[in-house]
Amino acid sequence: MFDSLIRRLSLEPAAPPVAQAAFERRQLAVAALLVEAAHIDRHAGPDERGAVVRLLRGHFGLSERDAQRLVEEAEERYATSLDDWIFARAVRDGFDPAERVEVLRMLWEVVYSDGRLAAFELDLLQRLCAALGIDDEAAEGARVLAFASANPHDPEQAGET
């Protein structure tokens, strides 16, 4: 009995069967990072979820339905992932530097979408800058663009005509 158990434990684990993924790895990695940014402050409201879907639609040219499905799959994968940085590594390895800066801009847009920046969100994005290999200047540029997008200038509101 013990010999049988030892033999089974000493065998190389078989790779799980390859399932046809509905979305490519790059899309799923970006979506999972956006989902993480939306949930990091433990208050992922409709504004943040809407921003995630909108950004994925625009960036990957997805339909509303496909973007919603991608978010659902990303939420599931993110919730079951044992490695917090698996998605950051996939983005770092699968995207060129300019694309990584664009992903960072999208992340900033998600955290700004609810009108407030929580300390957890700021900490996450700072750590992701390093994990994605984005320098400070490019990171600040991405943040400024996202802030401007999330807070468009309204001349009437500012008292200008």
Side-chain angles (χ1 to χ4, degrees), residues 127-147:
R127 289 183 292 130
L128 282 171
C129 285
L132 297 176
I134 298 172
D135 65 57
D136 292 341
E137 185 177 340
E140 181 61 13
R143 188 197 64 75
V144 167
L145 286 173
F147 185 82

Side-chain angles (χ1 to χ4, degrees), residues 34 37-39 41 43-53 110-114 116 121:
L34 295 176
H39 287 277
D41 66 352
H43 185 271
D47 291 337
E48 288 172 311
R49 184 170 174 96
V52 170
V53 170
V110 168
V111 300
Y112 281 141
S113 66
D114 65 358
R116 63 183 188 278
E121 292 169 327

Side-chain angles (χ1 to χ4, degrees), residues 13-105:
V18 177
Q20 182 68 349
F23 302 100
E24 65 178 74
R25 182 176 181 213
R26 290 168 31 111
Q27 292 173 326
L28 191 55
V30 171
L33 289 179
L34 295 176
V35 163
E36 181 177 10
H39 287 277
I40 194 71
D41 66 352
R42 305 224 193 287
H43 185 271
D47 291 337
E48 288 172 311
R49 184 170 174 96
V52 170
V53 170
R54 177 180 50 77
L55 290 164
L56 291 171
R57 285 186 71 192
H59 189 75
F60 294 117
L62 300 172
S63 68
E64 178 75 21
R65 182 171 180 251
D66 285 344
Q68 291 283 355
R69 285 182 34 232
L70 177 56
V71 170
E72 290 167 9
E73 187 172 337
E75 287 173 334
E76 182 181 313
R77 297 277 181 101
Y78 174 71
T80 60
S81 175
L82 298 176
D83 180 359
D84 288 347
W85 295 102
I86 190 170
F87 304 111
R89 278 193 303 276
V91 169
R92 184 190 63 225
D93 296 344
F95 289 83
D96 67 36
E99 290 172 316
R100 292 193 308 264
V101 171
E102 176 62 14
V103 169
L104 180 63
R105 184 199 59 76

Side-chain angles (χ1 to χ4, degrees), residues 138-158:
E140 181 61 13
R143 188 197 64 75
V144 167
L145 286 173
F147 185 82
S149 179
N151 301 288
H153 179 67
D154 183 356
E156 287 183 23
Q157 199 172 30

